[in-house]
């Protein structure tokens, strides 16, 4: 079995475990009694924790091996979602939950990206990334629906135990992949200076889109249909419409040597704008099906373009740089939303229009990127 297949099995299982509960976090916090500003505080502390812990997590991964780092990640994952069973409307408990989740996410994404970027062959970046995306979607398809069922019937503790078991199972194929564990000096300053300013701007606006996708389930839950299984169904529909289109867009990208970034940004902007102005639970499912096409294409393109820069730097430094950039931008955006006291729908509109803005900005690619854009 190739390293790529082993990694894709890990992606499938771990995504299944993660999305059994992660998609419901804003909804669960809302049902406990937290308001939007408190949910934003949860994310503020989470992103700050990730930003602070990414560098220590990377050093720990190099010191004890990234395999052991992923074991720590799985333990933190389960601990976080066991703890949510004991949280009430208390803000201190909310912050503790946020720190735990931040520690888990830091160790998980650092480890996952190190493995992912280590096995990519430069001339097969698009093909490899598209497969990562597809196997992630396969894992996500039944996850949220099964998670909703277990939550409603058996509660958080039962779901947390299942998640822990799945998390450890997902590590077996990952541990059979050999990666370079040589301790490299982390050189982020060099990347900071050379990374194109255009890309900094693009990725900042892309994080505004991230918040829209993160909080849209809460908007639907409050304004369209207050059922966990309905939210899970929207996730399933997005996944179904995504899989075949990822294969199509990846093939087109390689054939024409174009990333199709701008048309996909525009398509998703239009889709989300329509989605924000529909109140029918049935019609919104159809819009979500269309959204899945542009979302999957956009995720594949942006991940592919971001990974294309790996040829310029050592893997560990580059992954750390990207993760720090994401967490810093998300922390800044959350801070701005809290200071301005924006409402939920305004956040969704801001993220939607950020897609339109990014069509004018574009993303400058690295040595293994495409030379032209559509």
């Amino acid at each position: 079995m190739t390293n790529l297949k082993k990694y894709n099995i890990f992606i499938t299982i771990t995504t299944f475990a993660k999305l059994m509960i992660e998609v419901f976090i804003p909804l669960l916090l809302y049902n406990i009694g937290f308001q939007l500003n408190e949910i934003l505080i949860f994310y503020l502390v989470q992103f700050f924790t990730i930003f602070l812990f990414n560098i220590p997590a990377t050093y720990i991964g190099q010191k004890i091996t990234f395999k052991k780092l992923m074991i720590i990640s799985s333990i933190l994952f389960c601990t976080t979602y066991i703890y949510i069973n004991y949280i009430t409307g208390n803000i201190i408990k909310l912050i503790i939950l946020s720190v735990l989740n931040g520690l888990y996410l830091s160790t998980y994404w650092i480890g996952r990206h190190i493995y992912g970027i280590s096995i990519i062959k430069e001339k097969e970046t698009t093909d490899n990334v598209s497969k990562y995306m597809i196997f992630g979607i396969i894992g996500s398809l039944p996850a949220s629906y099964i998670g909703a069922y277990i939550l409603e019937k058996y509660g958080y503790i039962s779901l947390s135990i299942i998640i822990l078991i799945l998390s450890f199972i997902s590590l077996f194929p990952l541990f059979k992949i050999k990666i370079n564990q040589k301790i490299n000096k982390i050189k982020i300053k060099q990347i900071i200076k050379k990374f194109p300013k255009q890309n900094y701007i693009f990725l900042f606006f892309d994080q505004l889109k991230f918040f829209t996708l993160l909080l849209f389930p809460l908007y639907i839950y409050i304004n369209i249909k207050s059922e966990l299984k309905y939210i899970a169904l929207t996730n399933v529909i997005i996944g179904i419409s995504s899989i075949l289109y990822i294969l199509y867009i990846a093939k087109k990208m390689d054939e024409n040597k174009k990333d199709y970034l701008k048309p996909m940004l525009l398509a998703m902007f239009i889709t989300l704008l329509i989605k924000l102005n529909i109140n029918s639970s049935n019609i919104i499912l159809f819009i979500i099906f269309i959204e899945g096409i542009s979302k999957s294409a956009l995720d594949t393109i942006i991940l592919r373009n971001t990974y294309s820069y790996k040829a310029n730097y050592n893997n560990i430094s580059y992954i750390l740089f990207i993760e720090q950039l994401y967490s810093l931008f998300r922390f800044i955006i959350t801070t701005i939303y809290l200071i301005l006291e924006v409402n939920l729908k305004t956040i969704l509109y801001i993220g939607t229009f950020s897609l339109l803005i990014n069509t004018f900005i574009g993303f400058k690619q690295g040595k293994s990127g495409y030379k032209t854009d559509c």
Side-chain angles (χ1 to χ4, degrees), residues 60-83:
I60 292 168
Q62 289 188 106
K63 191 72 175 176
I64 68 173
T65 75
F66 285 99
K67 292 180 181 179
K68 291 179 182 176
L69 184 71
M70 295 305 285
I71 293 174
I72 294 172
S73 175
S74 293
I75 294 170
L76 286 167
F77 184 30
C78 184
T79 303
T80 300
Y81 295 117
I82 287 177
Y83 182 73

Side-chain angles (χ1 to χ4, degrees), residues 115 167 211 229 247 259 268 347:
Y115 273 94
S167 296
F211 275 92
K229 286 184 179 178
L247 289 172
D259 65 5
M268 193 166 184
I347 291 174

Side-chain angles (χ1 to χ4, degrees), residues 9-26:
I9 292 171
F10 159 76
I11 291 290
T12 302
I13 300 173
T14 193
T15 303
F16 177 79
K18 279 165 56 64
L19 292 186
M20 284 178 78
I21 191 166
E22 280 193 353
V23 70
F24 302 120
I25 293 302

Side-chain angles (χ1 to χ4, degrees), residues 35 62 102 203 228 302 307 369 373:
Q35 300 302 308
Q62 289 188 106
L203 291 176
L228 292 182
I302 292 173
Y307 272 14
D373 189 6

